[in-house]
Structure formats: structure tokens, C-alpha cells
Amino acid sequence: MEQAATAAIFVGTIGALVFSHWRASNIFSAAVLALFACQLVTIETTLEKAVNPGVVTLLALMLASRALERTSLLKLFARNALEQNENKTLIKLTTLSAFASSFLNNTAVVAALLRPIKNQNKIAASKLLIPLSYAAILGGTTTLVGTSTNMVVNSFWMDAGYPSLGFFEFFPVGIALVAAGLLVMLLRKQALPNNHVKEEQKQYFVDIKVKADSPLVGHTIHDNHLRNLNSFFLVEIIRRGQSIAPVRPSHMIEAGDRLVFSGEISHIEELQTLPGVKFFAEHTGLMSDNLVEVVLTSGSNIVGKTLKSVGFRAMFDAAVVGLKRNGLSVPGKLGEVTLQEGDNLLLAAGRDFKSRKNLDKHFILVSDVNVEQPLPAKTNNLVVVGFMTVMALAVFEVVPLLQGLVFFIAATLAAKVVKTAELKRLFPFDLWLIITAALTLAEAMQQTGLSQTLADGIHSVFSQYSVWVAFIGILVATVVLTELITNNAAAALMFPIAMGLAESFAASPLSFVMAIAFGASASFLSPYGYQTNLLVFNTGGYKFTDFVRYGFPVTLVYVTLTAILVPYFFPF
């Protein structure tokens, strides 16, 4: 009866994940409540699973990655990934994506590259976004921390009483999958659609001044990579009152130059990462994380005047960061532009801005624009070095990964790189709930003997064949399941069956566990199986069939190589 009840909950969970539109966290929560109701597990067991060291390490890693996202690392990565040549871009983009995803959260890597790929006009975004997602998935398979799937499997492995998997335990198989997968993607590039998807962007002119001590001084536009910005284009240089336009790559930057960019205001932090420059608004001390977009009304008495002449800062407790005007080609220095009715102004607003009584007379408030301020260069470097140090200490087993991450998070909070409220908002509660519930379900399957019964049943099917055939069966079943119910859920549900099957064949459980880990990451046929696929789905204007057509050869090569290499590196 206990086995039957557990089996019903297990099958019901899979059915709900595949056929319903309920959130996975709600489905797994319902499964745990059903286990409680049937008295198959205790609440104490679930609480114990919730603080499993593998689970806590995964949560800490996801929180720690937020500090890394605030650095210039991913921005520099995005800036240098795109080329004019399609083949060269595809090779560079997928290689860098795979490498970055070995150590960083692969979802964060893809998210950082979405905007620059979408905004560039060199190559259709649909030719790059699916390869970007697949490369991030492949790169994540090479290390313990590269993907949440590996961390989830490690949580189950540790819960079963085994020591944590090594940082590079997955590397021999993973790196072969990366190399083969990237090659197949390059050869299959013609299967990708040629969609041109452009969203309406709020293009503003932004005026920045080059300081005398800026490292940009004495170098050309090309050498300073000012043509490679993702969201802004350099339209004009104002030097000693004279305009230089159009700007050529060979033009040299001089101290005191005013650089006028046109670009998307919501990503103005990209300009703030340029070394040794100052915004028109920056000397007021008003540059903050929150900017305000307004439209100048026809009744305003500042129409026809310049920002400098009206004392804009004193009048409104705000300073202009950018300006947008229909039909305006070259705006000149912001402080000397004659304002016109209908001008859109991007304001760095002080505390008293919205309390000023004269706002309605002059402006129509459009929206608030949240802008993330770049980290100071020293802090930026310390965060990157600190994270790399934590990883290195974990690799060489000097300091456990969880302990290193806890100290890293504490240091970033102390340095105000991230805020406590931010970490609360980013806490992956749903993932934590899913893993805890799945561990509880696995415990119930083991305690009632269901996992062993299932394993014996599967063993009887494969008994006339070799253990390798049983291994292939588990691998393929996991690949199919991950396309249907997402990677982490597939790994969680297949793990107890894999362990039981390994035991029934008297084989090493690690080889079967690796089949689960690599199989659960093989999401190349559906936009819904993996979060990075979902990120690029709408952005690239894809259809479901685009993933099947392009991803099927990748899946075939991936599964074949996994079936050969896992038993070689992790013998039965």
C-alpha cells in the first residue's frame, strides 16, 4: 500500500509537470503535502532535506553570482563577442559563451548577451541566439558549478551519503561535448531562420566629457573600442567649440573632448563604464540608480533657452543626462542646446525633484528609468578576483565551496556591492522548494522500497542485455523527460531510479548518476526545457520547430558521445 501510494504521487507529479500549466514549485509542494497526508515521510525529514549541503551550496552560488553580474566582466565579454563575419562571430560567440558558462551562471551569461545581439545590425539575431543558448548549456556541463543541474545532482549524491563530486569531475566528458556540439552548430548554421526582430528603443543623445587624466586620451576611437559599444553610437566629438562629425575610427581622443552618443537610455550604465569620463549631470552629484524621463511642455518658460541659462539644477533639483528630439541629428553640448517644446529629457533627479510645485507647468512625467551604477574600478577588480579565489580554493580543496561563498557574499554585502534587499528579492525560493520536495519524494521512494521495485522491474527488462544498455535507457529517458518537464525536475525525478538500477546490476552508481546529470542538461529540442532557451525564444522570433530542426543533430551527437564517454571515464 505504501509503495502504491508513493507510486501514485510520483506518477501524478510527472503527469502534472507534463500536461498542466501549473508552476513546478506548486506541483512539487502538492506532492510533499500528499506524502505528509499519507504519512510516508515526516516533516523532520523534509526540513533535513531543505538544509542539505549541496542544496545550500547551490543557493549560495546563485546569490554570489549577482555580485559578479554587477562587474564589467560580462559587459566586456559582450562588447568583444560580435564581428562582421558570420562564421567568425558564431565561433567567437559560442566559444566565449561556453567558457564563461563553465564558471558563471549560464542564464546570466545569455541574459547579458541578449541585448547587444538583438541591437546590432551586422547579423540577424535569429542566426546567433539559439547557438548562444546551446553553447551556454554545453559549457555548463564541464564543471560542478556551471549549471544548476550538476549542483542538483550533487545534492542528491551527497544526500545518498557520498562525498561531494569534484569541481572538475564532469570536465572530461563535458569538454568533449562542448567541442563536438560547437562543431555541429557551426555546420548546421544554415538551418537557423533569418528573422529580423527589432523592438522600439528610446534613443537619447548623451553628452560626456573626457577628463585630462582619462586613459582614452591619446588613443584613437578604434583603439578605445568606442565603435564596439552595444547600446550607444558615437555621433559627434565637440573639441574647443568645433564639431567633428561624422566620427572616424582614426580620430584621436583629446583631453576636454565632449563625446556625444546616441543610444538606448535604459542601458546608460554602459557609458558609465568608460574610464576617465564625466557626464554633463555628474558634477552635480545627482547621478543615481533612478533616472526620470520627462517631456517639455509648450507652456514652459524654459522653452527657447539653454540649460545653463535657466539654472536648471537650482530650479528643479535635477540635472539633464540625455536629450531626445525628433529629427535632431547632431545635438551639440547639452548645456548649450536650445530647448524646444516636445523635447524628451532624461533627468538625474534629486530628493526634492518630485516635490517641486512647478513641475506640471514645465514637464509631463513619462517614466522612471532604473539604471544600475557601475562599480568603481578597484571594487570591480576585487569582486572578480575574490570570486576567482573562492573557486580556486574550492578546486584545490583548500576551503569548501560553501564556506568560501558565504564569506564572499558577506564581503560583497559589507562593501555594498549588493544590498540585503536585493538578495532577498533574488533568492531562488522556487528552485529551493523543488529540490527539497524532490529529495523528500526520493526519500519516500527509497524508504517504501518503490525505487528498488522500479529498478528490479527495469532490470528484468534489460537483464538479457548488458548494463551498458540499461545505462543507455536511463540516459535517453532523462533526455526525453528534460524536454518535457525542465532540466532540474528531470534530474530530481530520475535520480532515485538510476541509483536503484545501478544497485540491481551491481554497477558503480556514479556512472548512472552521470547519465542523469548529462541527460538532464541535453535540452536542445524545445524552448521550454531549459531557462536559456526560454530567454532567446521570443527575442529571436523563433518557432518551436526551429529548435527541433537545429537541435536534433546536436542532441544526437550529444547523447552518442555521452553514451560512449561516461562509461569510459566512470566505469560500471
Side-chain angles (χ1 to χ4, degrees), residues 292-295 347 353-354 359-360 363-368:
V292 180
E293 187 183 8
V294 300
V295 176
L347 306 180
F353 171 72
K354 290 189 177 181
L359 288 185
D360 292 343
F363 308 121
I364 300 171
L365 269 64
V366 178
S367 64
D368 287 342

Side-chain angles (χ1 to χ4, degrees), residues 38-59:
C38 296
Q39 297 184 345
L40 297 169
V41 293
T42 63
I43 292 177
E44 288 76 18
T45 299
T46 302
L47 292 174
E48 183 183 328
K49 303 302 180 186
V51 292
N52 173 291
V55 176
V56 178
T57 302
L58 171 59
L59 300 178

Side-chain angles (χ1 to χ4, degrees), residues 5-20:
T6 307
I9 295 169
F10 180 76
V11 172
T13 301
I14 295 178
L17 287 168
V18 174
F19 298 109
S20 78

